[in-house]
DNA sequence: ATGGTATTCAAGTACTTGCTTGAACACTAT
DNA sequence: ATAGTGTTCAAGCAAGTACTTGAATACCAT
């Protein structure tokens, strides 16, 4: 079966193309960022602390695997994730790593610990409370990510603006902060700070992606 | 945020460990085989046309990523997939590759073409027809894989034994052959041969894994 | 113990990858 | 045109990976 062997090899090599795109920590980080919102090469380079050239090269690899796509906008080249299935890919890797590799749990615990916020939140109920104004849902990611998609009734309050806007936050309602997802620390920091100041704040582990994967609705800025 | 940076890097490196295990065509092939049934190193080496030492090394990589596990059985070391989530990983890569990479479709088409069997089969209905004996479902994989799990009411008829057992096959019922899944060619070959001889044969694209992922039941040999 | 078989380990080589640097290219604004 | 900015390309180096070969280990049978 020489014919068949060539077929088989060719096929697995195609599958491996996808695998190769996912085998670098930096590339996974890029995908994760792009899942929140599209970005230019320069922005991605800044956020991942890589050189622009290097970032560009990683993006080429992802592009060849059809995980991301790009369009030129004037002087910038904007990259985005090419399909929702790319998110599923990352999710399944993260899920697998979390269940299979004890190290992942150890790492997240070491960082998130001290912040014992992890009371399980009923998502549907949370949405209802947000709707009635019973709870204040804060999106603490950078504004651009909020605009690209956010939880229903959530308000944007990027972590970096938190200090300036403390006065406008209610002391009498529960504040629920979320960010990019379970591995992101933005919401952890926000909740830590808010509690320090006496607010009733909890962290929602979900990001928009997790929320969406649960089949729950997400809002977008109409202007875009 | 140096502390945070270290956390982030460590985390993505763990995720990448999983990715690294999936970035070689040979390793994907190994996983695919192991998803059908557990095997010794030697068997895997034979089936993938690799040297034993090389196979062993690939298996170490998969083991470190906790995708496979092994136990010693007397003189042999038997490897198996460590959890069902590993199957989900491979599935999501294959799914992604199939949708995103035109090459995959081109490759499969080139091989499967001529065999225009792909009439969509209603799985639940097929199971009903198999139960009543209305259709004969053949598992054309090697016997060991059949024993590790097969579709309900399916009979084992490894492709290599097909010629010898032609006489026992019915001309008056539909024969539905399946193998490891959509990318496997065993069933294609079986159907080709059967049709040549005037049987009413079709191929079911599913393998056991696909079947199971649909939430449908699977049978195991009680003896095992 | 001895020899046989299955697996893993260790060392070596060819090849690939990740990152850097500096140049080239594409587009904008003047 | 010209200069300025953002992105990609090309060359080069260090590090890592895939595979081979031959030796070492683990187990079984006698």
């Amino acid at each position: 079966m020489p014919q068949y062997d060539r077929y088989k090899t060719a096929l697995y090599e195609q599958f491996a193309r996808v695998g190769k795109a996912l085998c670098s920590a930096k590339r996974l980080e890029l995908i994760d960022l792009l899942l929140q919102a599209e970005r230019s090469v320069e922005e991605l380079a800044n956020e991942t602390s890589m050189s622009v050239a290097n970032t560009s090269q990683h993006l080429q690899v992802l592009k060849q695997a059809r995980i991301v796509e790009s369009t030129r906008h004037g002087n910038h080249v904007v990259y985005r994730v090419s399909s929702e299935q790319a998110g599923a890919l990352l999710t399944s890797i993260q899920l697998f790593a979390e269940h299979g590799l004890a190290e992942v749990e150890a790492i997240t615990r070491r960082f998130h610990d001290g912040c014992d916020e992890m009371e399980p939140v009923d998502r549907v109920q949370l949405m209802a409370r947000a709707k009635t104004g019973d709870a204040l849902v804060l999106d603490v990611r950078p504004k651009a990510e909020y605009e690209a998609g956010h939880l229903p009734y959530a308000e944007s309050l990027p972590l970096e603006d938190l200090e300036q806007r403390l006065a406008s936050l209610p002391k009498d309602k529960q504040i629920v902060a979320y960010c990019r997802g379970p591995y992101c620390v933005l919401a952890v920091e926000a909740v830590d700070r808010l509690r320090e100041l006496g607010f009733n704040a909890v962290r929602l582990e979900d990001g928009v992606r997790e929320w969406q994967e649960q089949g729950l609705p997400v809002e977008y800025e109409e202007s875009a």
Side-chain angles (χ1 to χ4, degrees), chain A:
Chain A
M1 42 183 82
Q3 164 94 350
Y4 163 55
D5 243 40
R6 248 179 297 129
Y7 156 78
K8 202 178 57 173
T9 309
L11 196 54
Y12 282 109
E13 263 160 20
Q14 293 302 317
F15 295 149
R17 259 175 73 181
V18 179
K20 285 204 174 85
L22 303 173
C23 74
S24 136
K26 297 288 187 186
R27 283 199 286 270
L28 292 178
E29 202 181 336
L30 288 172
I31 296 173
D32 219 0
L33 285 172
L34 289 174
L35 281 167
Q36 301 297 323
E38 57 178 34
R39 281 165 168 84
S40 71
V41 178
E42 197 179 21
E43 287 170 309
L44 287 166
N46 287 336
E47 294 189 77
T48 58
S49 317
M50 291 193 285
S51 74
V52 173
N54 194 19
T55 305
S56 175
Q57 283 184 156
H58 279 303
L59 289 168
Q60 305 300 316
V61 175
L62 292 173
K63 197 173 178 181
Q64 272 170 38
R66 301 284 185 93
I67 290 174
V68 306
E69 55 185 25
S70 65
T71 46
R72 192 149 204 139
H73 265 131
N75 214 350
H76 297 254
V77 176
V78 173
Y79 280 83
R80 79 193 62 78
V81 165
S82 65
S83 80
E84 297 183 5
Q85 285 186 33
L89 262 184
L90 191 67
T91 301
S92 66
I93 285 190
Q94 290 180 337
L95 210 84
F96 185 87
E98 191 165 9
H99 285 236
L101 304 176
E103 291 85 343
V104 171
E105 214 198 334
I107 292 169
T108 56
R109 176 152 343 139
R110 197 179 327 141
F111 200 89
H112 290 185
D113 128 327
C115 169
D116 55 345
E117 18 54 19
M118 224 51 85
E119 44 197 83
V121 178
D122 180 308
R123 295 178 173 105
V124 176
Q125 193 198 313
L126 171 63
M127 201 160 34
R129 286 198 299 139
K131 184 173 185 175
T132 62
D134 212 27
L136 174 61
V137 178
L138 288 186
D139 184 321
V140 300
R141 299 174 298 163
K143 187 128 201 171
E145 299 182 23
Y146 173 85
E147 282 166 1
H150 55 83
L151 301 206
Y153 314 109
E155 279 182 31
S156 173
L157 201 176
L159 184 57
E160 41 184 8
D161 301 348
L162 180 61
E163 292 302 326
Q164 302 142 47
R165 290 182 40 195
L166 283 170
S168 66
L169 296 176
K171 287 259 178 190
D172 56 332
K173 310 185 188 184
Q174 187 176 46
I175 298 178
V176 179
Y178 74 91
C179 51
R180 289 166 182 160
Y183 309 111
C184 177
V185 294
L186 294 173
V188 175
E189 289 181 20
V191 167
D192 277 353
R193 181 69 182 135
L194 288 171
R195 287 193 169 179
E196 227 172 76
L197 299 168
F199 289 94
N200 171 15
V202 294
R203 169 173 176 251
L204 173 66
E205 221 183 348
D206 291 339
V208 173
R209 182 156 54 99
E210 288 75 17
W211 192 265
Q212 218 160 12
E213 279 170 1
Q214 297 290 324
L216 294 166
V218 166
E219 284 176 5
Y220 306 86
E221 289 303 282
E222 303 79 6
S223 61

